[in-house]
Amino acid sequence: MLKKIQISSLPSEVLQIWQKLIDHNYQAFLVGGCVRDLLLDRKPKDWDITTDALPEEILKIFPNAFYENRFGTVGIKTNSEDETLRVIEVTTFRQEKEYRDLRRPEEVIFIKDLETDLQRRDFTINALALSIDGDIIDLFDGIKDLKNKIIRTVGDPEKRFREDALRLMRAIRLACELNFTIETKTFKAIQKFAYLIQYIAHERIRDEFNRIIMSRNAVIGIELLRQTNLLKEILPELDRCYGVGQNKHHKYDVYLHSLKSLDYAVKKNYPLYLRLAVLFHDIAKPLTKQGEGPNCTFYGHEILGAKITKRILERLRYSNEIIKKVTHLVSQHMFYLEIDKVTPAAVRRLVRRVGQENLEDLFKLRHADRIGSGVPKAEPYRLRYLRYLIEKVHLEPITPKMLNINGYDLLNLGVPHGPKIGWILKALLEEVIDDPTKNNKEYLIERAKELKDLPDEKLKELALIGEEKIESIERQKEEEIKKKYKV
Ligand code: ATP
Ligand code: MG
């Protein structure tokens, strides 16, 4: 069921601009994605008004208007709190001729009728217009396709994809975001002209790709990219994973394993960079595979994988920040500690190598990897145990160093070199544990003067009480951490 659009309930920023154009005797319609989204009861990402007013006429009417680009799209600034309403795009009815570079129309011809403008739009569900009286203008059965959840080009799909190859990606992105299917002819045309995507700027491919993997249908999206031949154009490295069999630790081939892992990342709502790390973590397996069957190996795939991931992300013009994070996670995803033999030093080395700030992400990647294997081993316990070890090595030890007095101070008080120094410090520490306010030099000096005159036996006894207390506190802390990680 499509939603009935109530004009009066639309954002006032949109209504004001729209009404003003009408008041100046121009035609004006809400058009494209926002009409589609309103009918689907989704919040529009941006608002587009189309009109027969020429750009300079629009600029004259609205003091806050500016040219958005050289194709005569005018943006009108509002003061909205809502980011999606901050700039409303007003575009003159147009016809686009001669798509010579498959990206941008060579020439824009402004026209006076809405019908021709709707004809140039990519998909039927994006070619709907709404009049200010609340009537839907639907020349290409967009409403029917909305109801049936279908992505279909306006007019001949082959011609439309040849005109502008970005539409190849847009079809799949829209199918993923809206949970729609791609109509057969449209689908076949994408398969046929997938190679044209090479003419599209990497940034624009990346933006569509991001929206695909951030959607709830990310996994279907990657599979659609593969089936339409787009994957081998935009991510040949991932396409190559298809059908590459794995060893006994895995149920799926490398490609399917990557998708199953991504599926987990989507369910857990991982952010973009983590989804990228999950998708690419085994990208080098086809190149590092040795042997066949249940005992084949992939030595070093995480190192080569990090390199390949970097190359992919650079090619698609991701930010340096994302490139750094994702490649680091890929390079570290094979970390291994033998839990029963592990030393505090080994745990410290791991933390240093991975970086404290990346540990959580690495564990998340590892979870997705494990679930995506299809034969998850009992790693949750190991991971919990590792977390416990990490927190444990980070515990500040309780030592006499924490005191605001040291051995030299005691020597200055006339305590002789030898074990007595240690006994006094431990006795002092015991007092400070009970009452941290006592950890000030003045008090400690006075107290040390008293202690130094005690007989050795008495002093040893106090030191021992101190030691026992420290041990019991440390045991208690350890128990707490164990409980926290259920180990
Ligand atoms: P969203 O706003 O959710 O990204 P959208 O479909 O609104 O999706 P926009 O980029 O905002 O995408 O474009 C607005 C409208 O312009 C589309 O609905 C469509 O009618 C038209 N359009 C956008 N890109 C193309 C294209 N490459 N070819 C033809 N028409 C397009
Ligand atoms: Mg839009």
Side-chain angles (χ1 to χ4, degrees):
M1 263 304 277
L2 299 181
K3 190 165 157 85
K4 178 119 189 65
I5 302 175
Q6 292 286 345
I7 299 289
S8 57
S9 66
L10 298 180
S12 59
E13 293 87 345
V14 174
L15 285 176
Q16 275 171 18
I17 295 168
W18 195 357
Q19 189 62 54
K20 203 159 170 186
L21 284 163
I22 304 267
D23 290 345
H24 280 76
N25 290 323
Y26 292 110
Q27 302 179 55
F29 300 86
L30 216 53
V31 72
C34 61
V35 178
R36 171 199 76 210
D37 289 341
L38 289 171
L39 288 164
L40 292 174
D41 203 13
R42 292 168 63 96
K43 186 177 187 300
K45 285 212 170 53
D46 43 41
W47 297 79
D48 298 310
I49 294 175
T50 188
T51 177
D52 62 347
L54 293 169
E56 46 280 19
E57 295 174 321
I58 303 168
L59 290 169
K60 238 185 255 165
I61 301 178
F62 299 98
N64 287 339
F66 62 96
Y67 267 114
E68 286 240 287
N69 55 42
R70 66 189 174 92
F71 305 106
T73 296
V74 175
I76 298 176
K77 284 192 200 126
T78 67
N79 289 322
S80 180
E81 306 264 293
D82 184 339
E83 212 192 311
T84 62
L85 288 163
R86 211 153 290 158
V87 174
I88 310 286
E89 283 197 350
V90 180
T91 311
T92 310
F93 296 156
R94 63 190 52 194
Q95 188 173 17
E96 286 163 0
K97 284 227 163 139
E98 299 242 6
Y99 289 79
R100 227 167 287 143
D101 67 353
L102 300 126
R103 242 180 274 194
R104 288 285 189 190
E106 286 290 305
E107 198 187 336
V108 173
I109 301 169
F110 296 128
I111 48 174
K112 286 289 162 195
D113 70 301
L114 172 70
E115 289 70 19
T116 315
D117 180 273
L118 293 179
Q119 222 163 48
R120 70 165 173 99
R121 293 177 182 270
D122 48 7
F123 304 108
T124 60
I125 58 167
N126 284 348
L128 297 166
L130 178 68
S131 80
I132 204 157
D133 305 320
D135 299 327
I136 297 276
I137 295 96
D138 174 17
L139 304 179
F140 311 102
D141 274 342
I143 291 286
K144 193 168 129 214
D145 286 342
L146 264 189
K147 283 185 180 153
N148 293 326
K149 298 172 168 266
I150 284 172
I151 308 285
R152 182 199 314 268
T153 53
V154 170
D156 175 27
E158 297 200 354
K159 177 166 169 278
R160 302 312 309 280
F161 290 126
R162 272 197 319 254
E163 282 169 1
D164 178 358
L166 184 68
R167 293 172 187 157
L168 300 159
M169 291 293 290
R170 282 178 54 90
I172 291 173
R173 184 261 286 181
L174 284 162
C176 289
E177 286 188 337
L178 303 176
N179 202 22
F180 278 30
T181 50
I182 301 174
E183 175 270 334
T184 309
K185 266 193 173 162
T186 301
F187 191 90
K188 289 201 168 134
I190 301 176
Q191 285 178 317
K192 184 166 171 188
F193 291 105
Y195 70 95
L196 293 178
I197 200 69
Q198 60 182 298
Y199 296 104
I200 299 298
H202 294 290
E203 291 83 340
R204 303 181 78 203
I205 296 175
R206 175 202 62 208
D207 290 346
E208 299 297 329
F209 181 71
N210 284 349
R211 289 179 68 167
I212 291 170
I213 62 170
M214 289 311 289
S215 78
R216 66 193 160 122
N217 291 307
V219 170
I220 293 176
I222 303 283
E223 185 50 14
L224 281 174
L225 288 173
R226 191 186 66 78
Q227 289 171 5
T228 52
N229 304 322
L230 279 165
L231 195 62
K232 71 166 167 272
E233 299 296 333
I234 64 170
L235 285 173
E237 301 87 348
L238 184 60
D239 193 64
R240 223 169 278 142
C241 295
Y242 187 80
V244 175
Q246 305 207 65
N247 54 29
K248 55 179 179 269
H249 304 299
H250 282 268
K251 187 164 155 190
Y252 307 114
D253 70 31
V254 180
Y255 170 80
L256 210 52
H257 163 62
S258 308
L259 255 57
K260 296 273 178 190
S261 306
L262 177 64
D263 189 40
Y264 182 82
V266 172
K267 286 203 180 97
K268 292 284 168 182
N269 206 13
Y270 285 6
L272 178 68
Y273 70 93
L274 255 182
R275 293 188 193 203
L276 290 167
V278 167
L279 189 59
F280 296 146
H281 76 279
D282 278 347
I283 199 85
K285 276 192 166 175
L287 292 171
T288 51
K289 183 170 175 175
Q290 303 234 330
E292 274 301 330
N295 292 317
C296 67
T297 61
F298 303 96
Y299 290 123
H301 76 272
E302 70 277 24
I303 304 304
L304 186 60
K307 284 194 186 138
I308 296 177
T309 300
K310 182 160 185 275
R311 207 172 61 206
I312 294 173
L313 297 177
E314 281 174 354
R315 184 175 72 223
L316 290 173
R317 313 281 194 271
Y318 279 89
S319 70
N320 287 334
E321 190 194 358
I322 287 201
I323 295 175
K324 212 170 128 201
K325 263 190 179 167
V326 177
T327 53
H328 182 60
L329 289 171
V330 171
S331 77
Q332 298 301 320
H333 84 272
M334 291 298 286
F335 75 89
Y336 183 73
L337 286 177
E338 255 186 285
I339 292 301
D340 26 347
K341 295 187 201 142
V342 76
T343 60
V347 174
R348 283 211 182 83
R349 272 198 304 276
L350 173 76
V351 174
R352 199 162 343 112
R353 200 173 62 233
V354 173
Q356 182 76 38
E357 70 284 8
N358 301 314
L359 281 170
E360 272 314 303
D361 288 340
L362 190 64
F363 291 156
K364 284 185 177 154
L365 167 57
R366 205 38 185 256
H367 265 302
D369 185 5
R370 199 178 67 83
I371 301 292
S373 74
V375 280
K377 278 182 287 185
E379 201 171 58
Y381 172 79
R382 293 165 57 99
L383 275 183
R384 287 206 311 276
Y385 194 78
L386 181 57
R387 278 171 202 252
Y388 151 74
L389 289 177
I390 288 170
E391 190 156 336
K392 199 171 97 167
V393 300
H394 277 85
L395 271 186
E396 288 272 348
I398 304 172
T399 82
K401 284 198 191 109
M402 298 160 90
L403 290 170
N404 283 323
I405 188 173
N406 58 33
Y408 296 109
D409 298 319
L410 299 184
L411 290 172
N412 287 337
L413 292 178
V415 182
H417 274 288
K420 211 164 167 171
I421 300 227
W423 297 335
I424 295 177
L425 288 174
K426 275 180 194 155
L428 290 173
L429 189 56
E430 199 261 341
E431 288 190 34
V432 166
I433 289 171
D434 276 349
D435 180 0
T437 64
K438 287 184 175 168
N439 196 7
N440 70 76
K441 191 135 188 183
E442 215 173 309
Y443 171 81
L444 293 170
I445 295 278
E446 286 313 306
R447 183 69 184 128
K449 282 182 191 162
E450 292 167 25
L451 290 171
K452 83 178 176 31
D453 294 331
L454 290 178
D456 279 5
E457 279 316 303
K458 183 72 195 153
L459 204 50
K460 250 203 246 176
E461 207 176 292
L462 289 178
L464 207 61
I465 296 175
E467 257 171 45
E468 277 167 8
K469 183 169 276 173
I470 291 165
E471 269 176 32
S472 118
I473 289 175
E474 286 181 342
R475 259 200 315 276
Q476 198 182 322
K477 278 196 187 155
E478 194 175 325
E479 282 310 312
E480 278 167 20
I481 308 175
K482 273 189 173 165
K483 223 169 162 184
K484 182 165 151 195
Y485 295 113
K486 304 195 190 80
V487 297

